[in-house]
Amino acid sequence: MAEARTAGRLGIIAGGGQMPRLVADAAVAGGRAVVILAMSGFFDGNAGPHPLVLMSPGQVSALFGALRRYNCREVLMVGEMRRPRLRDLQVDFGIIRQLPLLFGVKGQGDDGAMQRLTQVFESQGFQVVSLRDVAASLAAPLGLIGRKCPSEKAALSISFAFDLLAALSPFDVGQAVIIHRRRVLALEGAEGTNQMIARIGDLRRNGRFAVAPPSGILVKMPKISQELRNDMPVIGELTLEAARDAGLEGIAVAAGGVAMSDCGALSRCADEAGLFLVGCDRDGRWAPA
Amino acid sequence: MAEARTAGRLGIIAGGGQMPRLVADAAVAGGRAVVILAMSGFFDGNAGPHPLVLMSPGQVSALFGALRRYNCREVLMVGEMRRPRLRDLQVDFGIIRQLPLLFGVKGQGDDGAMQRLTQVFESQGFQVVSLRDVAASLAAPLGLIGRKCPSEKAALSISFAFDLLAALSPFDVGQAVIIHRRRVLALEGAEGTNQMIARIGDLRRNGRFAVAPPSGILVKMPKISQELRNDMPVIGELTLEAARDAGLEGIAVAAGGVAMSDCGALSRCADEAGLFLVGCDRDGRWAPA
């Protein structure tokens, strides 16, 4: 712990969901000291034993002040955070100073926005680190995660889906897709993965997807251009519940590129739901050829 | 009319919506004789003055018989038709004989399915023609269709969206996208364009898309690989109403590649809704540089 203090704390800028707490736990287990800077209106978890500072997303000067007060050199953004409306922000002077850098955020893909935010932190002397740097144990492993194994047909679909998501990468969109065989049922835009999964139920009800469940595979990978430092895609128990409710066959994620809220719990959850859950390489393979 | 009879009738295999009737009118105006083969459960229009035969989608022998009885040499499939569930089909022996060809339809993208169906007709001596062959007047023209002109920023977005849809083409999906600047808000999967447009309202309500309306542009083009003969994408008044209700800024379609149910009516409808409506080339331009 003495070493950790010398190296400075990790400032975890925390949005919604359970990831911020899990990342804090993993970082501490890895020998770091942390502080959770919880964004009001987004953070909805509990900080457990970790020090917590509640902040407004618009109070940039206060954020930098808190980071310095806690002797943070590294920062990590994690958890769900929507783009706030400007009129909802309680701004301080710090944000005005950052406007030239932040100005480009509006109307760009998530990737562009994240790069700008990274520049803002770096211009203030903070290093933006990745989930993999501080909590590698949360990244999906390569191979079967649950007990159920994808069929040979599913393997072909998964490979097709990885190619599709790679083709979308330059356009800064598309972390997830749902396919059956080579038919694309749903593509993720700005709605979020769970909302996209819910559409499969609609497609079944209105007859546009008439194959009996379980059918349809969710494939999720980070954009190739994506700065994994800031915005690693995540799956959690809600994802698995949504997939089960939509009658899907299973889930394939990019090993090392998608974070899992709790690997052991998700594995059990997949088994109970009858879903396969597998971490794949960029070609969609989960086992040596 | 004597000439038309000698050349044989055009058999219009008709699904839902107003397109089958409009295509029949346009084909007759172009000097052809037609018969509408209305698929029960899908066809919901009126045949007007055109001869009409009601068919079940599974009765393939009956369909071929009707086409021969009406002396059809050319066929065209038009209108909304979902993939029927096999158990909902009233099949006849004709479909059994076609199973080797039709077998591949299941689990493929729309494109693959359409190619198979085309082969089935061609194996029986019918020529599958395109909407452009028989009703060119229904294809979107190049240039402004309504009065409102897209802004310069909209022009950049449109060009970006055409590139994105072109990148999706090899995967047999993605005829439409909604973007704001370079941020992709929604991508069309199997849900249909109007369902996709409706998501923008959800994104506004839950704060994921916080830019005040009018904002967001719908861009629609046929897949590059798509057999335009069978499955030309269509926009109609419902599309414009959905776009208006979702607070969009306008609509750009591929000139010559997207059918419009009624160009004059859509132009007025766009003006009333305050939307721009424009036909573009493959680079997303609607006027000479």
Side-chain angles (χ1 to χ4, degrees), chain B residues 173-235:
Chain B
V173 67
Q175 298 193 138
V177 59
I178 297 173
I179 43 165
H180 174 70
R181 303 279 182 267
R182 293 165 77 91
R183 183 176 175 215
V184 179
L185 299 169
L187 282 163
E188 184 177 338
E191 71 277 22
T193 304
N194 293 354
Q195 290 297 314
M196 178 191 65
I197 297 171
R199 287 211 290 282
I200 303 302
D202 299 334
L203 292 173
R204 291 192 197 276
R205 280 184 288 276
N206 69 21
R208 286 178 184 264
F209 179 43
V211 180
S215 56
I217 299 166
L218 170 68
V219 179
K220 188 158 182 172
M221 69 178 245
K223 289 168 267 176
I224 289 173
S225 59
Q226 190 170 35
E227 291 239 355
L228 280 183
R229 288 194 288 182
N230 304 317
D231 193 25
M232 199 171 184
V234 176
I235 66 163

Side-chain angles (χ1 to χ4, degrees), chain A residues 20-275:
Chain A
R21 168 69 189 278
L22 291 165
V23 169
D25 291 347
V28 168
R32 287 167 197 261
V34 303
V35 57
I36 294 180
L37 301 138
M39 293 296 121
S40 63
F42 299 107
F43 183 76
D44 55 4
N46 78 74
H50 312 294
L52 176 77
V53 184
L54 197 66
M55 322 253 356
S56 157
Q59 294 175 321
V60 173
S61 291
L63 174 64
F64 292 148
L67 286 169
R68 294 203 176 92
R69 210 159 56 242
Y70 278 88
N71 189 29
C72 296
R73 300 211 189 125
E74 296 174 329
V75 296
L76 173 73
M77 289 175 268
V78 66
E80 287 158 37
M81 229 175 312
R82 292 188 300 274
R83 289 144 191 264
R85 290 170 207 256
L86 274 180
R87 67 167 180 266
D88 293 343
L89 285 181
Q90 292 175 33
V91 297
D92 65 17
F93 281 116
I95 202 169
I96 308 294
R97 248 174 269 136
Q98 298 303 333
L99 280 180
L101 266 174
L102 284 171
F103 193 75
V105 171
K106 245 181 100 177
Q108 290 192 41
D110 291 332
D111 223 29
M114 279 298 171
Q115 279 170 16
R116 299 280 181 157
L117 288 171
T118 297
Q119 285 173 35
V120 168
F121 284 109
E122 289 178 348
S123 73
Q124 294 292 312
F126 301 105
Q127 196 197 336
V128 178
V129 297
S130 82
L131 211 56
R132 285 204 275 200
D133 294 333
V134 301
S137 60
L138 292 176
L142 184 68
L144 288 184
I145 298 167
R147 276 188 215 156
K148 195 175 164 189
C149 190
S151 68
E152 272 181 49
K153 280 183 179 167
L156 292 176
S157 299
I158 291 167
S159 165
F160 177 80
F162 271 86
D163 288 345
L164 190 165
L165 293 174
L168 274 176
S169 272
F171 301 95
D172 199 4
V173 67
Q175 299 193 140
V177 60
I178 297 172
I179 43 164
H180 175 70
R181 304 278 183 267
R182 291 165 79 90
R183 183 173 176 219
V184 179
L185 299 169
L187 282 163
E188 184 176 338
E191 72 276 22
T193 304
N194 293 352
Q195 290 298 313
M196 178 191 66
I197 297 172
R199 288 211 291 281
I200 302 302
D202 298 335
L203 292 173
R204 291 192 197 275
R205 280 183 289 277
N206 68 22
R208 285 180 184 263
F209 179 42
V211 181
S215 56
I217 299 166
L218 170 68
V219 179
K220 190 159 182 170
M221 69 179 246
K223 289 168 268 178
I224 290 173
S225 59
Q226 190 170 35
E227 292 239 353
L228 280 182
R229 289 192 290 181
N230 303 317
D231 192 25
M232 198 172 184
V234 175
I235 66 162
E237 291 194 21
L238 287 178
T239 319
L240 286 162
E241 283 166 22
R244 180 199 59 202
D245 293 347
L248 298 190
E249 199 180 331
I251 301 175
V253 300
V258 172
M260 308 216 309
S261 56
D262 180 333
C263 194
L266 288 190
S267 164
R268 284 188 299 278
C269 188
D271 291 345
E272 279 163 25
L275 295 161

Side-chain angles (χ1 to χ4, degrees), chain B residues 252-265:
Chain B
V253 299
V258 172
M260 307 215 309
S261 56
D262 180 334
C263 194

